[in-house]
Structure formats: structure tokens, C-alpha cells
Amino acid sequence: VPNIYGRSVCFDVFAVDADGTEYNIEVQRKDDGADPRRARFHASLLDTMNVEQGKKWWQLPPTVVIFITESDVLGGGEPLYHVERMIRELKGKRFGDASEIIYVNSTIQYDTPLGRLMHDFFCEEASEMHSPVLAERVRFFKSDEHGVRKMCRIMEEIREKGRARCTS
């Protein structure tokens, strides 16, 4: 997402659900990459993508920024942290700006759907994964001749885009 005033960003994952909610999902291996201000910045760029002249503010879609972190960067021992703006003077009433930030603590890998997904996320071998769908995709990209070639093409495209950005 370009930012003419400063730093641009390349989302790890950008998705829109059937209701129009926009999601930016980031996988953070280093704690400093999951700084709350970085999450705020990502949320602001989701909004920036949708602000068009003449558009009413209520037309901004709901947004969710999800940081999947390798460690418990918020330190509460929870698998999930939901961050929403609150109004202090109104006894913590939600602000209602349709913006949410979620931190996923991948160190908690309980026997729940989220815990199993976090386990699979950090598996190096498909045979160790709980999800057959994810395991099959990993096998395809790591072991199947066609999958390996496809992954190599994708990586080369990413490299070329990076080079083009550096020279422009």
C-alpha cells in the first residue's frame, strides 16, 4: 500500500470477507515487529485504501489487523488479544469505529482449532501437521515437482518486484 507521505507497506495477507470486512494478517517472528504502533499504522493504511473523494465516512468498511506473533508480546498468557478503542469517560463504552486489532500468541497451542493451527503454522514437516488441507499444500510446495517449480516462480516474482521497487 503506497503512502505518499512516508513509509509504505506490503501486507503479508490482505483479505475481504463476504460482509466486506477487510483483514490484514501479519506474521511476526520478532517482538519489535509487533509493536502496537505498527498495528495502528497498518490499520490506518487499510483506511487509506478506502478513502475516496465524495465517500461518506460511514462507508469505510470494518477493518481487522491480525498480528500472529511467535511469542506472547503482550505478556498476558492469553492465546488471543482483541484490541478495540474505548471511551474512558463513558465507562469503557466501545468507540464503534469498526476497527479492531487482534494479537495471536502462537506459543499457546492448546487442543483447540486455533491452537492446532498455531502448531501447524510452525511445523517444518507436513507429516507433523493437524490440518490435512494445510499439510497437503505444504507437501505440494515442498515435495511435489510441480509445486516446487511453482513456488520457485512465485519467489522469483517477489524478488523481481522488490528489485523494481528499489530502482524506482
Side-chain angles (χ1 to χ4, degrees):
V1 179
N3 176 6
I4 63 171
Y5 296 108
R7 184 179 222 159
S8 298
V9 71
C10 183
F11 295 149
D12 288 352
V13 176
F14 173 76
V16 181
D17 70 14
D19 297 324
T21 300
E22 295 185 350
Y23 298 85
N24 164 223
I25 304 168
E26 297 293 316
V27 179
Q28 296 301 312
R29 298 204 60 127
K30 295 181 180 177
D31 289 0
D32 62 348
D35 187 283
R37 289 190 175 122
R38 183 166 184 230
R40 182 177 106 192
F41 177 67
H42 279 243
S44 75
L45 288 180
L46 283 172
D47 286 342
T48 299
M49 293 182 345
N50 290 290
V51 178
E52 299 166 10
Q53 193 151 352
K55 198 172 195 178
K56 304 294 183 202
W57 295 113
W58 59 266
Q59 292 175 299
L60 278 174
T63 60
V64 181
V65 173
I66 301 172
F67 275 20
I68 300 172
T69 60
E70 191 166 354
S71 64
D72 185 7
V73 297
L74 298 182
E78 298 293 330
L80 283 174
Y81 300 96
H82 292 81
V83 180
E84 292 184 54
R85 290 187 176 103
M86 303 285 192
I87 306 169
R88 280 188 221 149
E89 292 77 10
L90 298 178
K91 296 183 174 121
K93 178 182 175 187
R94 289 186 174 155
F95 186 52
D97 64 349
S99 175
E100 183 177 9
I101 296 169
I102 299 172
Y103 279 78
V104 181
N105 172 8
S106 70
T107 64
I108 296 183
Q109 299 177 1
Y110 299 143
D111 190 20
T112 64
L114 177 62
R116 288 188 295 274
L117 178 62
M118 290 303 97
H119 170 270
D120 289 359
F121 229 68
F122 291 93
C123 282
E124 292 185 19
E125 298 298 326
S127 61
E128 299 170 1
M129 295 181 167
H130 297 292
S131 168
V133 173
L134 186 56
E136 184 51 41
R137 292 306 288 167
V138 168
R139 266 189 219 93
F140 175 73
F141 286 115
K142 289 181 99 175
S143 303
D144 182 274
E145 180 182 330
H146 299 294
V148 171
R149 272 199 306 257
K150 187 172 187 173
M151 180 56 73
C152 288
R153 278 194 305 273
I154 291 168
M155 293 305 294
E156 187 58 35
E157 287 172 17
I158 291 169
R159 234 184 327 272
E160 288 302 316
K161 285 180 184 177
R163 283 187 194 124
R165 190 176 320 146
C166 289
T167 60
S168 60

